[in-house]
Amino acid sequence: MIFGAILAGGSGTRMHISSLPKQFLPLDDKPIIIHTVEKMLACSKFDKIFIGINPSWASYMNDLLGKYEIDEEAVVVVVGGENRNSTIFNIIEGIEEKFGVSDEHIIVTHDAVRPFVTLRIIEENIEAALKYGACDTVVPATDTIVVSQKNDIISDIPNRIYMYQGQTPQSFNINKLKELYGKLSEAQKAVLTDACNIFVMNSEKVKLVMGENSNIKITTVNDYKIAQYLAIGGTESD
């Protein structure tokens, strides 16, 4: 079976423009996260979509799903974890409670605050995860990447043709993800910020899926302004 997983476990308000977590901020005519849910629902290949939410906002999320008439049979709200990966594993636990454990289960994880993901990206993630076991959505790096291991001195400037910027979705065979996570040391788990790195740390291949420049993550005030423009039909080339 194939499951969508929307990661909305954070409660941060780093943009300082509202007391709401950023995934609940309005975008055009509805909250950011509702746009994201609707994009995932547009893919008919999902058997169920799970939302991992901060427990303080779970009731609010359920109210939003009702307000915007989201099919309650299609979407399940579960409690998120303390960080990105723990939210993913909480969602996996919810999946397995309802649908059991299977070597065939695929999970497509996506940031709640990337509301401009396309159906093409989602479907290519599903295809790649089914074929390769893991994939990451990326776009080619357009700026030179500078590496500094001492913060104020350049350590390396890698060749830009090999550099990509990570987006989401990131998609995985669930049993393989659990197996490889279990092989990591506690020290490795402590510094883990990206689910694809679970595979990389275990020397497993991760297939690249090409994203879109418009598939932005709304993190800063400037991101939010760009998203508002895109939501009303603007393009980045305008």
Side-chain angles (χ1 to χ4, degrees):
M1 300 178 76
I2 300 170
F3 303 96
I6 298 174
L7 310 181
S11 59
T13 55
R14 281 182 289 173
M15 285 192 280
H16 304 296
I17 59 175
S18 171
S19 60
L20 291 171
K22 56 184 179 290
Q23 60 264 31
F24 298 124
L25 293 177
L27 186 61
D28 194 17
D29 60 343
K30 63 192 73 171
I32 291 169
I33 194 168
I34 295 299
H35 286 278
T36 305
V37 170
E38 290 176 343
K39 290 294 179 66
M40 298 289 272
L41 285 172
C43 179
S44 61
K45 296 182 179 181
F46 286 125
D47 293 286
K48 191 78 78 173
I49 293 169
F50 285 74
I51 304 173
I53 202 83
N54 185 288
S56 300
W57 292 93
S59 294
Y60 186 81
M61 184 71 243
N62 279 309
D63 288 344
L64 284 181
L65 294 175
K67 178 180 179 180
Y68 291 96
E69 300 181 345
I70 303 297
D71 183 2
E72 63 181 15
E73 295 299 316
V75 179
V76 178
V77 176
V78 301
V79 173
E82 295 180 355
N83 54 49
R84 180 184 195 84
N85 288 316
S86 60
T87 295
I88 291 173
F89 282 102
N90 280 9
I91 291 173
I92 288 174
E93 183 177 336
I95 289 170
E96 294 181 340
E97 284 178 0
K98 290 180 177 293
F99 300 97
V101 177
S102 171
D103 285 337
E104 307 303 317
H105 285 344
I106 295 295
I107 187 170
V108 178
T109 70
H110 187 59
D111 296 326
V113 289
R114 288 190 191 269
F116 301 109
V117 65
T118 65
L119 181 59
R120 190 271 303 168
I121 292 174
I122 294 170
E123 291 184 339
E124 288 189 11
N125 263 259
I126 292 170
E127 291 169 7
L130 287 169
K131 184 174 182 179
Y132 298 98
C135 67
D136 194 4
T137 304
V138 300
V139 292
T142 56
D143 294 324
T144 296
I145 305 299
V146 177
V147 179
S148 175
Q149 295 180 346
K150 296 185 178 179
N151 296 325
D152 59 352
I153 297 174
I154 292 176
S155 304
D156 189 23
I157 301 179
N159 191 329
R160 191 171 64 195
I161 66 170
Y162 302 117
M163 300 294 107
Y164 295 86
Q165 295 168 236
Q167 299 185 340
T168 64
Q170 295 181 328
S171 305
F172 311 98
N173 176 285
I174 288 179
N175 276 0
K176 189 67 173 178
L177 180 67
K178 292 192 301 178
E179 174 194 343
L180 295 177
Y181 185 74
K183 292 181 178 180
L184 298 181
S185 68
E186 291 305 312
Q188 288 174 314
K189 291 176 182 177
V191 299
L192 193 63
T193 59
D194 184 280
C196 281
N197 210 17
I198 296 170
F199 281 73
V200 175
M201 286 180 171
N202 281 283
S203 300
E204 294 280 344
K205 293 179 180 179
V206 178
K207 177 67 174 176
L208 296 186
V209 171
M210 285 298 113
E212 303 280 354
N213 289 331
S214 59
N215 183 28
I216 63 170
K217 184 177 182 180
I218 304 172
T219 303
T220 66
V221 172
N222 191 54
D223 297 331
Y224 186 46
K225 291 177 180 177
I226 293 171
Q228 289 174 316
Y229 179 65
L230 292 174
I232 60 173
T235 66
E236 290 188 315
S237 61
D238 288 349

